[in-house]
């Protein structure tokens, strides 16, 4: 996620439990894949957080003050890596159905056509 | 139907095998009675393994034409055929490629294959965006009609396009879109047949994201059939930075207003007045 070259994801909080079975995947992810992910994205601040007795989740904080929470309970490390990559790739905008696939501020270059136009 | 055919074929072949075995057995027993006990062991082997006799006879008779469908598959096939002629309410899936499941996407491409596939869709990855690149220019009144995959867009500098997920590029990558169908400026238009050669549209990948969820709801009334499925399409947002291949009109820079200094003579007059 980069708006004009500026990465939009500021902070990723990795919350996990060191006892529960639903955190098994995220514990494995933190041992194996998280260091590589951190190296690939030096601009990103990754904070591991311990929450005992709760299911694990990933919290993403974006530059436009938006937060997104993804629950990763009972997921494999590959799936968790996919989710964290998706959070990093996306802009922080609200997920709404697209009105148009082409967003522009200058809709016309040669002028708008009308029935009175003479070439 | 297919299973019935299979079973019929199997029964037919089994009957044929039994008949062959009996005839062979009879002939072998006849031979054995003539030649003695040496062949009796082979006869026993033949009798205990009836299904191997098949290839002693006609080789083509042991081929089963069953396509291997189970009764469960048959049932679902009928359902699928029915659903094509339905009367119920259906929400349609959004346009474009239907994203395959995660299992199918794990194919490893060689760099040449990647380039070939990317070229086919209509783009080429150059490389990551450096901090020193001044790619984001001010607006220029030039447009191009560009094709990515099966969709065409009329693009200009500084605007954004949402396309289907482009596989081989990361966020913050520079891209060149090859398939340019038309170029235009306020004074000139270049029409391609079908593409304009040596035209390039430069873009930067802004994000890879998922679209909002679309719920696909299927229902057949009075038939106790209702299905709900959620679908999120994977999209890529590209920001167009430059269009090359056409002469761009020069924008004259706005002239700064020139300040004229007005000299005041009031001080000199005062100085002349004092000594007098």
């Amino acid at each position: 996620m980069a708006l004009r070259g500026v990465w939009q994801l500021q902070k990723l909080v990795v919350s996990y439990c060191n006892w529960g079975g639903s955190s098994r995947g995220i514990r494995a992810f933190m041992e194996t894949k998280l260091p590589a992910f951190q190296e690939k994205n030096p601009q990103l601040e990754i904070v591991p957080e311990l929450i005992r007795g709760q299911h694990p989740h990933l919290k993403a904080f974006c530059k436009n003050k938006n937060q997104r929470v993804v629950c990763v309970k009972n997921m494999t490390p590959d799936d968790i890596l996919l989710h964290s990559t998706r959070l990093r790739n996306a802009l922080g905008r609200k997920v709404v159905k697209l009105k148009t696939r082409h967003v522009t501020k200058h809709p016309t270059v040669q002028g708008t056509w009308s029935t009175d136009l003479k070439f | 139907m297919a299973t019935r055919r299979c079973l019929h074929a199997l029964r037919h072949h089994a009957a044929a095998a039994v008949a062959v075995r009996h005839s062979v057995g009879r002939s072998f027993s006849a031979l054995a009675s003539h030649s003695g006990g040496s062949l009796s062991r082979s006869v026993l082997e033949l009798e205990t393994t009836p299904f191997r006799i098949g290839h002693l006879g006609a080789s083509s008779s042991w081929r089963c034409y069953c396509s291997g469908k189970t009764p469960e598959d048959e049932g679902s096939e009928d359902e699928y055929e029915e659903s094509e002629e339905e009367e119920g309410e259906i929400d349609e899936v959004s346009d474009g490629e239907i994203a395959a499941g995660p299992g199918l996407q794990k194919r490893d491409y060689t760099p040449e294959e990647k380039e070939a596939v990317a070229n086919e869709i209509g783009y080429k990855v150059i490389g990551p965006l450096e901090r020193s690149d001044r790619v984001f220019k001010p607006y220029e009144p030039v447009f191009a009609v560009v094709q990515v995959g099966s969709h065409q867009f009329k693009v200009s500098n500084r605007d954004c396009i949402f396309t289907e997920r482009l596989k081989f590029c990361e966020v913050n990558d520079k891209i060149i879109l090859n398939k340019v169908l038309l170029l235009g400026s306020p004074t000139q238009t270049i029409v391609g047949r079908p593409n304009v050669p040596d035209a390039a549209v430069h873009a930067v990948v802004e994000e890879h994201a998922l679209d909002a969820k679309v719920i696909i709801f299927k229902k057949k009334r009075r038939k106790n059939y209702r299905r709900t499925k959620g679908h999120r399409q994977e999209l890529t947002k590209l920001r167009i930075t430059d269009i090359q291949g056409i002469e761009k009109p020069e924008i004259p820079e706005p002239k700064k207003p020139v300040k004229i200094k007005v000299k005041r003579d009031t001080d000199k007059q005062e100085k002349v007045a004092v000594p007098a």
Side-chain angles (χ1 to χ4, degrees):
Chain A
M1 93 184 167
L3 201 61
R4 291 164 158 264
V6 178
W7 290 96
Q8 292 295 305
L9 183 64
Q10 274 175 322
K11 191 161 133 188
L12 186 68
V13 174
V14 180
S15 310
Y16 68 104
C17 172
N18 55 0
W19 176 83
S22 55
S23 294
R24 199 162 37 160
I26 199 162
R27 272 179 263 143
F29 170 74
M30 283 168 73
E31 278 159 34
T32 52
K33 311 219 169 154
L34 192 61
F37 187 73
Q38 200 154 13
E39 274 179 36
K40 266 192 187 178
N41 305 294
Q43 78 285 348
L44 187 54
E45 183 192 335
I46 299 179
V47 177
E49 188 191 341
L50 183 70
I51 33 156
R52 292 211 83 219
Q54 292 173 42
H55 289 303
H57 55 269
L58 299 171
K59 256 195 203 169
F61 296 89
C62 306
K63 276 201 175 157
N64 53 0
K65 321 283 187 235
N66 276 1
Q67 291 179 27
R68 194 178 285 188
V69 180
V70 179
C71 181
V72 292
K73 75 171 189 186
N74 294 324
M75 277 196 192
T76 58
D78 294 325
D79 285 340
I80 297 173
L81 182 68
L82 174 72
H83 276 288
S84 41
T85 315
R86 271 197 192 148
L87 286 168
R88 193 246 332 180
N89 281 344
L91 294 174
R93 62 189 175 96
K94 191 173 170 186
V95 179
V96 200
K97 188 182 163 190
L98 288 175
K99 300 273 177 169
T100 40
R101 286 207 169 185
H102 178 216
V103 178
T104 176
K105 286 195 176 164
H106 303 270
T108 180
V109 167
Q110 295 178 351
T112 343
W113 182 84
S114 64
T115 47
D116 319 321
L117 188 66
K118 306 277 178 208
F119 286 112
Chain B
M1 283 289 283
T3 46
R4 220 184 296 161
R5 250 190 281 128
C6 267
L7 287 168
H8 182 71
L10 274 171
R11 260 182 258 130
H12 185 73
H13 290 312
V18 163
V20 168
R21 194 193 81 187
H22 276 311
S23 61
V24 169
R26 258 182 261 133
S27 60
F28 265 87
S29 57
L31 280 171
S33 62
H34 282 295
S35 57
S38 59
L39 284 170
S40 58
R41 226 189 305 148
S42 52
V43 169
L44 279 170
E45 280 174 14
L46 283 169
E47 283 189 351
T48 50
T49 60
F51 284 95
R52 280 191 213 162
I53 296 169
H55 54 260
L56 280 179
S59 56
S60 60
S61 63
W62 202 243
R63 218 176 284 157
C64 179
Y65 294 99
C66 176
S67 57
K69 283 186 190 165
T70 60
E72 290 144 8
D73 284 346
E74 256 193 29
S76 64
E77 202 191 52
D78 288 339
E79 259 185 6
Y80 175 75
E81 282 170 4
E82 275 178 27
S83 70
E84 285 183 37
E85 325 148 351
E86 59 212 316
E87 328 138 3
E89 308 142 17
I90 311 166
D91 284 338
E92 287 194 349
V93 189
S94 56
D95 268 346
E97 295 173 6
I98 296 168
L104 288 171
Q105 277 174 351
K106 289 283 177 183
R107 193 189 145 187
D108 287 325
Y109 290 88
T110 60
E112 295 85 22
E113 273 181 350
K114 280 185 190 180
E115 275 199 40
V117 172
N119 219 22
E120 185 68 38
I121 297 173
Y123 70 98
K124 185 178 162 191
V125 183
I126 298 182
L129 188 70
E130 307 295 331
R131 239 196 125 80
S132 53
D133 292 340
R134 292 277 165 254
V135 188
F136 300 105
K137 299 177 193 166
Y139 171 69
E140 288 153 3
V142 178
F143 74 90
V145 173
V146 89
Q147 180 170 356
V148 183
S150 64
H151 305 282
Q152 295 177 5
F153 302 92
K154 181 193 94 76
V155 293
S156 186
N157 194 10
R158 274 194 171 194
D159 55 353
C160 297
I161 288 180
F162 287 93
T163 63
E164 302 303 322
R165 156 91 107 222
L166 302 176
K167 273 192 250 186
F168 309 118
C169 51
E170 307 281 327
V171 180
N172 252 353
D173 270 358
K174 283 188 280 192
I175 293 255
I176 286 186
L177 302 166
N178 306 330
K179 289 189 189 171
V180 178
L181 310 167
L182 191 114
L183 286 163
S185 75
T187 48
Q188 200 186 13
T189 315
I190 303 175
V191 179
R193 291 183 184 187
N195 300 331
V196 179
D198 304 326
V201 173
H202 293 263
V204 170
V205 179
E206 268 205 358
E207 70 169 329
H208 285 308
L210 294 170
D211 203 2
K213 188 180 274 193
V214 183
I215 296 177
I216 299 134
F217 181 68
K218 295 187 185 175
K219 182 187 163 109
K220 280 194 215 270
R221 53 184 181 181
R222 302 181 292 273
K223 304 299 172 199
N224 205 20
Y225 171 73
R226 191 167 64 169
R227 300 278 181 270
T228 310
K229 189 173 177 180
H231 177 75
R232 295 192 76 180
Q233 187 70 5
E234 291 183 336
L235 300 174
T236 301
K237 187 177 179 187
L238 298 174
R239 186 177 284 267
I240 307 295
T241 50
D242 193 23
I243 298 176
Q244 285 169 5
I246 191 167
E247 282 176 18
K248 293 174 189 175
E250 286 181 13
I251 308 163
E253 282 186 22
K255 287 183 184 174
K256 290 181 184 175
V258 178
K259 285 183 184 175
I260 305 168
K261 285 187 180 177
V262 178
K263 285 185 183 174
R264 288 185 180 181
D265 295 330
T266 49
D267 293 339
K268 278 187 185 173
Q269 280 176 4
E270 278 173 10
K271 278 179 185 173
V272 167
V274 163

